[in-house]
Amino acid sequence: MLRTLRQQHDRFPLNAPFRIARGVKMAADVVTVTIAEGEVIGRGEAVPYPRYGESVASALAAIEEVRALVEQGASREALLHALPAGAARNALDCALWDLEARLSGRDVAEMIGRSPLMPVATALTIAIDTPAAMADAAGAAGDVPLLKVKVDALDPRAQILAVRTAAPGPALIVDPNESWNRDLVEEIQETLVEARVALLEQPVPAGDDAWLEGFAPAVPICADESIHVLEDLRAVARRYQVVNVKLDKAGGLTAALDVAREARALGLGLMTGCMVSSSLSIAPALHLAAMSDFVDLDGPLWLQTDRPGGISEAGGFIHPPAAGFWGTR
């Protein structure tokens, strides 16, 4: 049976400005794909990211280029060769997972040989602000397992210590989003230890990280912008201790699972991350989260209104979406 493909741009206003070292976001702009086979519909969502040369328009155009292939029944594996890694392929891949699950009457967890999804601890993000404002945000988060502290290069020590003082309990991930240089990374090691930071995420630009091969960090360093696809892993494994696998970077759950499995085989720690998005992006990522050491999937919590039936959060734990939302019967 032939399929019908539809794609559209959806925008979700945020409930507060999302500030990172790279800029400020006020809304999540996503690409939503639906693939129908008869009366059965699969959905997928992706977030085109300007950091990687993507836009909503370019993602929609890329999807349009493979419309005939998809509507004629292309598999997820065929898409790996038809499109490069990125948001467009992610939206299509996830829609096909959802469609296959509904057509077969199986959950995606069953399809990949894993147990049903359970609640998982996620990082709650403290966006860049003054140290006092960041301390207030950390204190308001309450007694949660994990906080992610967005910092820049202006005064990261004050930002980190302010959050730690206000929130003495949670594990901390510090994320400069490539805004630091080598000197700052070396200088701040003592602060990271003092603040009991569990993970430092992509401190320097992806193109300026070769020196990490000879560096012995006081806390593990996680690759984010430096890791997209399988071919990146060998170099990354010499420079980082953990990798952040995101569906939008890998180009879908199919490729992301391959990256995660190979990362484990290389002895790397695993983190599952996301862009600011709706729960339709998070639902497939939860299958990666189930095998990860660190989880950062709080994107929908920044939205004024999420998609109905999406994830919920309580006490720093994400609860899976309602049955039938994505990848389930």
Side-chain angles (χ1 to χ4, degrees):
M1 181 179 294
L2 292 179
R3 299 169 177 161
T4 302
L5 167 66
R6 294 182 180 176
Q7 78 266 38
Q8 66 188 52
H9 168 205
D10 289 319
R11 168 168 267 229
F12 296 88
L14 305 191
N15 53 35
F18 185 81
R19 293 186 179 89
I20 66 172
R22 197 172 288 122
V24 182
K25 182 183 287 287
M26 298 300 297
D29 289 287
V30 309
V31 169
T32 306
V33 162
T34 60
I35 302 175
E37 190 167 315
E39 299 297 317
V40 182
I41 296 175
R43 299 187 301 160
E45 177 186 290
V47 185
Y49 202 40
R51 166 65 178 82
Y52 305 132
E54 298 177 322
S55 67
V56 168
S58 70
L60 291 172
I63 293 167
E64 188 62 33
E65 288 179 4
V66 296
R67 171 182 294 278
L69 187 68
V70 173
E71 293 189 333
Q72 291 166 13
S75 66
R76 291 181 284 104
E77 288 71 23
L79 279 180
L80 295 177
H81 304 287
L83 281 175
R89 196 176 76 190
N90 179 30
L92 289 166
D93 179 80
C94 290
L96 286 176
W97 275 101
D98 191 25
L99 180 65
E100 290 172 34
R102 296 177 192 279
L103 289 171
S104 68
R106 297 184 297 161
D107 293 348
V108 168
E110 186 180 353
M111 292 167 64
I112 63 178
R114 301 195 64 86
S115 301
L117 292 174
M118 301 292 290
V120 61
T122 183
L124 299 181
T125 303
I126 307 300
I128 290 177
D129 209 321
T130 64
M134 294 174 71
D136 289 343
D143 186 18
V144 297
L146 181 62
L147 293 176
K148 184 170 184 174
V149 187
K150 294 287 191 178
V151 297
D152 51 27
L154 297 179
D155 196 1
R157 172 178 166 80
Q159 293 167 326
I160 294 165
L161 293 179
V163 169
R164 174 49 84 204
T165 299
L172 295 185
I173 300 171
V174 170
D175 185 7
N177 284 106
E178 301 181 283
S179 65
W180 292 0
N181 57 28
R182 179 174 182 169
D183 288 344
L184 182 50
V185 172
E186 293 175 342
E187 290 169 8
I188 209 163
Q189 293 298 301
E190 185 176 333
T191 297
L192 300 179
V193 173
E194 179 184 353
R196 293 179 285 114
V197 171
L199 193 68
L200 175 62
E201 186 178 352
Q202 194 72 48
V204 298
D208 189 30
D209 62 355
W211 63 272
L212 287 172
E213 280 192 41
F215 184 63
V219 303
I221 303 180
C222 176
D224 182 2
E225 287 83 358
S226 289
I227 170 69
H228 290 242
V229 296
L230 276 172
E231 291 74 18
D232 299 329
L233 275 174
R234 292 291 174 179
V236 163
R238 297 193 298 268
R239 302 169 186 176
Y240 297 87
Q241 294 73 52
V242 181
V243 293
N244 186 348
V245 181
K246 295 178 180 175
L247 272 62
D248 280 310
K249 292 189 301 179
L253 180 59
T254 302
L257 287 169
D258 288 341
V259 174
R261 290 165 180 149
E262 181 62 18
R264 286 299 198 200
L266 291 171
L268 292 164
L270 190 60
M271 177 177 177
T272 300
C274 69
M275 310 301 185
V276 181
S277 61
S278 88
S279 285
L280 188 54
S281 283
I282 302 306
L286 287 172
H287 296 279
L288 280 179
M291 56 191 293
S292 295
D293 306 298
F294 297 92
V295 175
D296 176 25
L297 296 179
D298 68 340
L301 305 184
W302 287 85
L303 306 185
Q304 291 181 14
T305 305
D306 193 6
R307 298 183 193 266
I311 66 157
S312 59
E313 179 270 333
F317 283 80
I318 283 181
H319 293 255
F325 179 82
W326 182 91
T328 60
R329 294 187 289 271

